[in-house]
Amino acid sequence: DAGVTQSPTHLIKTRGQHVTLRCSPISGHKSVSWYQQVLGQGPQFIFQYYEKEERGRGNFPDRFSARQFPNYSSELNVNALLLGDSALYLCASSFWDRGQPQHFGDGTRLSIL
Amino acid sequence: GQNIDQPTEMTATEGAIVQINCTYQTSGFNGLFWYQQHAGEAPTFLSYNVLDGLEEKGRFSSFLSRSKGYSYLLLKELQMKDSASYLCAVTLSGGYNKLIFGAGTRLAVHP
């Protein structure tokens, strides 16, 4: 069975640009969450979506947005990129929206020049 | 605020046993997860504790004390491939599936 898939694997952008990251959850999983992981730190929660509705938002600026599609895949958008946005962006999926282990994709490594 | 503490680094010998501790102070608590993350890879799920006590799964065991805000991950019969970061994460009561992670513990297993 396919796990969580994310694209692209790596991305290089410059300050001020915008980026779209994509995630396909494990088949049957209806909840998708996004996390940002800076080197040497644990992942930080950005968003959770369940059944196409936003269920939670972390402490990130409005430059970060996301959505979930009818097939449960998801996109994370970041506008007006800053150097500090350089990180590994992880997508995780689970069947329900709570009390379930989340399964992570390999992430998108975003570098801002 | 939410606070989750783990040791930054640990070293151990192949074949030995190691215990990685995690303490948490959060507003509300639902459950605690342990994840393993090899360098450059995704976190992989190891265990989930909701109730007090020990959960055993092969070479890995996880313990939770809700009253003390304390958990540990026990790794037995250490192998070189166990060298990785181990992440402790908490979910909060009344909320959704938001994981609040500690900074992780880097474990180095030596021959």
Side-chain angles (χ1 to χ4, degrees):
Chain A
D1 287 344
V4 178
T5 58
Q6 292 187 243
S7 62
T9 306
H10 294 87
L11 204 51
I12 299 174
K13 293 285 188 178
T14 57
R15 282 176 294 176
Q17 288 188 310
H18 71 274
V19 67
T20 298
L21 310 181
R22 295 178 174 82
C23 172
S24 292
I26 292 171
S27 178
H29 284 192
K30 301 180 179 181
S31 175
V32 170
S33 298
W34 288 94
Y35 293 83
Q36 180 195 65
Q37 187 175 26
V38 175
L39 196 62
Q41 297 293 320
Q44 295 287 314
F45 174 78
I46 309 175
F47 285 109
Q48 186 199 15
Y49 278 78
Y50 178 71
E51 289 282 15
K52 301 179 288 296
E53 291 188 2
E54 182 182 303
R55 290 302 184 96
R57 183 186 183 113
N59 189 25
F60 281 81
D62 291 343
R63 299 185 295 107
F64 288 76
S65 64
R67 55 180 174 168
Q68 187 177 32
F69 298 99
N71 66 354
Y72 302 111
S73 67
S74 178
E75 283 183 354
L76 175 70
N77 294 284
V78 187
N79 293 325
L81 288 166
L82 303 174
L83 293 177
D85 296 330
S86 294
L88 179 67
Y89 288 85
L90 294 163
C91 173
S93 76
S94 60
F95 188 71
W96 296 114
D97 63 339
R98 64 194 69 199
Q100 294 270 308
Q102 294 183 44
H103 300 276
F104 285 84
D106 287 337
T108 295
R109 185 159 298 282
L110 176 63
S111 299
I112 310 300
L113 303 179
Chain B
Q2 324 293 357
N3 196 43
I4 299 175
D5 287 319
Q6 311 177 230
T8 303
E9 293 185 354
M10 299 183 70
T11 59
T13 304
E14 194 175 15
I17 300 172
V18 71
Q19 178 175 312
I20 302 174
N21 296 324
C22 172
T23 58
Y24 61 89
Q25 293 171 309
T26 58
S27 52
F29 175 85
N30 185 59
L32 189 142
F33 293 81
W34 284 95
Y35 282 85
Q36 179 192 60
Q37 186 175 28
H38 286 98
E41 297 183 11
T44 55
F45 169 72
L46 291 178
S47 68
Y48 176 43
N49 293 73
V50 177
L51 302 176
D52 286 358
L54 188 68
E55 295 279 344
E56 297 187 80
K57 192 183 295 185
R59 295 190 299 115
F60 292 36
S61 303
S62 57
F63 172 83
L64 176 66
S65 169
R66 296 173 67 115
S67 62
K68 295 182 179 178
Y70 168 69
S71 174
Y72 67 73
L73 180 68
L74 193 70
L75 291 74
K76 305 174 188 175
E77 302 170 13
L78 280 171
Q79 302 175 9
M80 298 296 290
K81 68 178 181 179
D82 297 329
S83 293
S85 285
Y86 291 86
L87 300 164
C88 172
V90 166
T91 53
L92 304 181
S93 55
Y96 33 85
N97 222 11
K98 168 184 175 180
L99 288 167
I100 304 170
F101 282 90
T105 299
R106 284 196 304 279
L107 174 66
V109 179
H110 299 289

